[in-house]
């Protein structure tokens, strides 16, 4: 494979002083550093440093980067599960103070409740809503969510009766049923086999085309990022920083073989691969010193 960087549409890493030139973004990340403090030893492990990123409403943003670069830390902060050490994260201009009904998380593992049926697993998301929808509205939403992920007919099944891919569909349906504005997805297809993963990607592309939700999506797969995302953010390592943002200027739907086999798809894929390889090489040199 050639290591020449092709011509790509990129944006430079934004600074904390950058102001949006159009309508305000849905998610604003400004000067965020994050990690873990050991107060007893007065030390910090920094996972992310000075991250600045905007996510537009209705956008599908994919994050790629080496293991340990802070991708999951970033998505957990947007979800409100943890707070940055420095900087701010805002949704609709308001600081994120904790989890909210406007955001729903889909994890890599299935995270389903084994003692509940498929229907009641999805219902769980509505049971924790305030105010809780009426029984009729809840039933309609659950039925629609299961239909979207292809689980109609499995409402009474238990997780142990389902394949791994089907259990992950339950998790996605549970995220969709509360109709959140933002879907936060941390390697949601990473635990399934390659064929199931590709099938779920194709279905998910159709779902988001229908719902129009904003998606913040973490993946280790370059092909997955290019197939699904409007933009791809490459995160560097040690500590994590936004290295580059690429516009994916490919037509949708992208599960058309003509798109995925196109010269442009290959150029973008090679460029991201080269950037990640440069990160891996830099990390190895740092270890050897």
């Amino acid at each position: 494979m050639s290591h020449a960087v092709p011509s790509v549409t990129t944006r430079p890493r934004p600074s904390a002083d950058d102001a949006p030139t159009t309508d305000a973004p849905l998610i604003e990340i400004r000067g965020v550093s994050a990690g873990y403090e050991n107060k007893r030893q007065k030390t910090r492990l920094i996972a992310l440093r000075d991250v600045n990123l905007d996510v537009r409403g209705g956008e599908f943003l994919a994050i790629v980067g080496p293991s340990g670069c802070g991708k999951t830390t970033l998505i957990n902060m947007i979800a409100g599960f943890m707070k940055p050490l420095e900087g701010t994260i805002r949704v609709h201009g308001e600081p994120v103070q904790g989890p909210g009904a406007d955001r729903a998380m889909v994890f890599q593992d299935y995270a389903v409740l084994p003692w509940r049926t498929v229907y009641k697993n999805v219902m769980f998301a509505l049971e924790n809503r305030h105010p809780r929808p009426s029984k009729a509205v809840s039933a309609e939403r659950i039925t629609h969510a299961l239909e979207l992920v292809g689980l109609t007919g499995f409402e009474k099944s238990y997780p142990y009766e389902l394949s791994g891919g089907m259990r992950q569909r339950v998790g996605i349906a549970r995220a969709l049923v509360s109709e959140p504005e933002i879907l936060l997805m941390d390697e949601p297809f990473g635990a399934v086999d390659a064929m199931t993963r590709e099938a779920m990607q194709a279905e998910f592309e159709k779902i988001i085309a229908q719902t129009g939700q904003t998606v913040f999506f973490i993946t280790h797969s370059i092909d997955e990022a290019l197939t699904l995302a409007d933009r791809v953010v490459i995160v560097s390592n040690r500590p994590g920083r936004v290295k580059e943002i690429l516009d994916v200027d490919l037509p949708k739907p992208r599960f058309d073989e003509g798109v995925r086999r196109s010269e442009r798809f290959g150029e973008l894929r090679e460029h991201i691969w080269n950037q990640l390889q440069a990160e891996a090489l830099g990390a190895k040199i740092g270890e050897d010193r």
Side-chain angles (χ1 to χ4, degrees):
M1 179 180 288
S2 168
H3 292 282
V5 177
S7 173
V8 294
T9 306
T10 68
R11 292 186 175 93
R13 190 174 79 86
S15 71
D17 297 328
D18 285 343
T21 58
T22 58
D23 293 341
L26 177 59
I27 303 171
E28 300 173 79
I29 300 169
R30 294 288 183 269
V32 164
S33 295
Y36 307 90
E37 288 187 295
N38 186 322
K39 293 183 179 179
R40 183 172 57 83
Q41 297 181 3
K42 298 182 179 179
T43 59
R44 279 183 175 183
L45 173 63
I46 302 299
L48 291 165
R49 177 163 288 154
D50 192 27
V51 172
N52 297 281
L53 184 62
D54 288 343
V55 185
R56 300 184 288 264
E59 179 176 27
F60 196 124
L61 192 78
I63 311 293
V64 297
S67 296
C69 71
K71 300 185 299 296
T72 295
T73 299
L74 181 58
I75 206 170
N76 281 336
M77 288 189 294
I78 298 171
F81 298 150
M82 61 183 295
K83 294 183 178 180
L85 298 175
E86 298 173 357
T88 59
I89 298 177
R90 297 176 182 271
V91 175
H92 277 307
E94 296 296 324
V96 172
Q97 302 290 354
D102 56 348
R103 286 154 283 145
M105 188 88 165
V106 180
F107 301 92
Q108 178 176 353
D109 56 22
Y110 310 125
V112 294
L113 305 174
W115 60 89
R116 284 191 166 214
T117 63
V118 166
Y119 188 94
K120 290 187 176 180
N121 260 284
V122 178
M123 182 191 293
F124 181 76
L126 298 178
E127 291 174 349
N128 293 279
R129 292 278 299 214
H130 298 285
R132 183 175 174 178
S134 68
K135 190 172 182 179
V137 170
S138 294
E140 183 179 345
R141 286 192 185 180
I142 294 168
T143 298
H144 181 57
L146 291 174
E147 182 181 347
L148 282 173
V149 301
L151 285 178
T152 300
F154 292 91
E155 292 86 349
K156 296 181 179 180
S157 299
Y158 285 88
Y160 72 86
E161 299 175 297
L162 306 176
S163 68
M166 293 173 76
R167 275 176 274 174
Q168 190 62 303
R169 291 170 195 249
V170 176
I172 294 172
R174 188 171 55 201
L176 291 170
V177 74
S178 57
E179 300 179 351
E181 190 170 8
I182 301 166
L183 281 176
L184 303 170
M185 310 188 78
D186 189 359
E187 284 279 351
F189 310 135
V192 299
D193 63 87
M195 289 185 66
T196 301
R197 181 172 187 153
E198 187 159 323
M200 292 183 72
Q201 289 167 0
E203 290 178 14
F204 189 63
E205 184 182 39
K206 294 175 185 175
I207 290 169
I208 296 305
Q210 290 183 53
T211 64
Q213 286 163 305
T214 303
V215 183
F216 195 96
F217 190 97
I218 290 176
T219 180
H220 281 96
S221 168
I222 299 172
D223 284 5
E224 184 169 75
L226 289 175
T227 299
L228 294 171
D230 300 310
R231 290 190 297 160
V232 176
V233 178
I234 303 172
V235 180
S236 65
N237 204 0
R238 300 190 175 188
R241 296 175 183 266
V242 174
K243 181 176 184 180
E244 189 173 10
I245 304 173
L246 280 74
D247 286 313
V248 184
D249 51 352
L250 294 166
K252 289 187 176 184
R254 297 191 190 135
F255 273 89
D256 181 290
E257 285 299 315
V259 176
R260 300 178 76 189
R261 293 179 181 176
S262 68
E263 181 179 357
R264 186 61 179 156
F265 191 99
E267 287 176 351
L268 290 167
R269 188 187 192 285
E270 183 174 2
H271 179 73
I272 296 172
W273 172 261
N274 288 340
Q275 294 298 310
L276 294 177
Q277 284 294 96
E279 283 301 312
L281 179 61
K284 181 65 168 64
I285 291 172
E287 288 175 356
D288 292 342
R289 285 180 177 173

